[in-house]
Amino acid sequence: MKPFAPAAVLVGAVLGLAAVTGCSPAPRNAGPLRATPYTAASAPGGCPTAASLPLPKDFLADLPVPEGAVVTSVEHRTGGRLIVATVVRSGFDATLAFLHKQLPKAGYTPKDGEVEKDDAESNFSSTTVRGRWTLRKMPDCEGGVYLTYLTSAVS
């Protein structure tokens, strides 16, 4: 049995690591994804050139979206989660200032946010909704930033 001891230790370590990291053969949120693919075509410089997709009917009517945002994709995920990806052309700093001012004004409380050189993100919530926005500079689109909202109902 001595020759098998190192193998048993190795198998135990791998299984323990998988348990700690949450690895499993099946995804945790397995289920149908209903997504609208990115349909806003991009110019050679990376900026969207197609018309914006419409905001979905289940997007929160009072959730502030910057003027001129181009909706590039919409995904409905399991658990009632909604992801709406946009491109905004007003620049990183102006879009960040918009989010910091308009979300609280609309009744959303920010939490656990951070700002770095080219990206920022924050959770937000109200009595009925939990969400997260992310903001990232677009390298190939002058003044362009990706702004993505993830929302779900409070359970």
Side-chain angles (χ1 to χ4, degrees):
M1 281 273 194
K2 286 246 183 200
F4 295 107
V9 169
L10 180 60
V11 168
V14 169
L15 290 176
L17 186 58
V20 169
T21 61
C23 295
S24 66
R28 287 181 187 215
N29 293 324
L33 254 192
R34 297 179 314 274
T36 303
Y38 281 87
T39 58
S42 295
C47 297
T49 57
S52 177
L53 296 171
L55 283 170
K57 291 180 189 233
D58 52 346
F59 188 79
L60 303 164
D62 62 348
L63 186 59
V65 177
E67 184 76 29
V70 175
V71 177
T72 57
S73 77
V74 173
E75 295 181 46
H76 291 88
R77 294 200 174 172
T78 58
R81 295 174 297 155
L82 174 65
I83 300 173
V84 175
T86 70
V87 172
V88 181
R89 296 289 303 272
S90 57
F92 183 83
D93 293 335
T95 306
L96 183 61
F98 171 88
L99 292 165
H100 282 163
K101 183 177 181 181
Q102 298 302 320
L103 279 143
K105 201 180 223 184
Y108 296 95
T109 303
K111 182 178 179 186
D112 301 328
E114 71 174 11
V115 178
E116 296 176 4
K117 182 181 176 198
D118 293 334
D119 66 72
E121 61 267 343
S122 179
N123 295 328
F124 60 89
S125 63
S126 71
T127 57
T128 59
V129 173
R130 286 183 311 202
R132 182 168 185 80
W133 58 260
T134 61
L135 187 63
R136 187 170 38 101
K137 280 187 180 179
M138 296 177 70
D140 298 328
C141 181
E142 183 66 33
V145 291
Y146 295 110
L147 171 59
T148 303
Y149 294 96
L150 165 66
T151 59
S152 66
V154 172
S155 49

